[in-house]
Amino acid sequence: MTNPQENSAAPRAPSDLWGVLRMAGRLPLLALHAVVSLPVPLAVVSQGYNKEGARRRWAEGWMAWWSGTMLRIFGFRIEVRGEPAAEPVFILANHMSWADIELIHSQLAAGFVAKAEIARWPLIGFMAKVGGTVFHQRGHSGSQAQVTGALADRLRSGRSVAIFPEGRTGPGR
């Protein structure tokens, strides 16, 4: 993934007038994408993501389109090198920004692991649930075993999984 401003997973805050204008121009696109484009993929994904066959592939296609469009609105350009591995895949990655999730979803439909509190967040919690997120209750002794079992079941059923082991965004060191 490359960003026109720099080779980083997160765009930097604009420091010059041109950067401020560019960001201001993206806000209406973001609003349009969220208001007009979001209901269709949410409906499609909520009805088809946990199904099998063509219905699931169609839902995954919508998810990939929506995530890729979101990244393009913010000026990201995705560059894929090499051949993608056959699914299911297990992705273990650093979590550097919100864009990590969109980047992965723009390429393949992966179930993520997230802290349980996210399930209660407005809109994002709903999106995470219909996207197949496995929620982890931090500090709960049985949660880790439940999450591990859910991820193993997902991989056995031919579906991909993505984990950010540090559990929060950071510089990626």
Side-chain angles (χ1 to χ4, degrees):
M1 170 174 73
T2 59
N3 182 325
Q5 287 81 34
E6 63 178 15
N7 288 330
S8 173
R12 290 191 328 201
S15 58
D16 59 4
L17 180 59
W18 181 245
V20 171
L21 292 174
R22 196 169 44 244
M23 190 60 78
R26 290 180 178 148
L27 292 177
L29 292 173
L30 175 61
L32 182 67
H33 188 55
V35 173
V36 175
S37 301
L38 187 58
V40 172
L42 279 179
V44 168
V45 170
S46 67
Q47 295 302 309
Y49 185 76
N50 292 314
K51 307 290 187 212
E52 293 301 322
R55 193 174 201 180
R56 186 172 108 204
R57 285 190 301 275
W58 195 54
E60 290 172 349
W62 270 103
M63 188 184 328
W65 172 83
W66 197 87
S67 294
T69 301
M70 176 71 105
L71 290 169
R72 284 187 293 281
I73 287 171
F74 281 95
F76 290 92
R77 299 295 173 255
I78 299 167
E79 181 180 318
V80 178
R81 294 181 186 179
E83 290 296 316
E87 290 192 56
V89 295
F90 185 91
I91 298 170
L92 186 67
N94 290 333
H95 192 17
M96 297 173 67
S97 79
W98 63 270
D100 303 331
I101 295 167
E102 299 304 325
L103 174 64
I104 291 169
H105 272 155
S106 75
Q107 302 303 303
L108 67 104
F112 286 86
V113 175
K115 61 185 178 182
E117 295 85 0
I118 291 176
R120 296 187 298 271
W121 292 1
L123 187 60
I124 291 173
F126 174 75
M127 290 169 61
K129 287 177 205 171
V130 300
T133 298
V134 176
F135 295 101
H136 171 56
Q137 182 66 45
R138 291 180 179 176
H140 183 270
S141 60
S143 182
Q144 184 177 358
Q146 290 173 340
V147 168
T148 302
L151 296 180
D153 289 345
R154 178 182 296 273
L155 288 165
R156 276 192 289 273
S157 71
R159 299 176 73 192
S160 296
V161 170
I163 295 178
F164 302 122
E166 67 272 13
R168 62 182 54 86
T169 58
R173 293 189 189 122

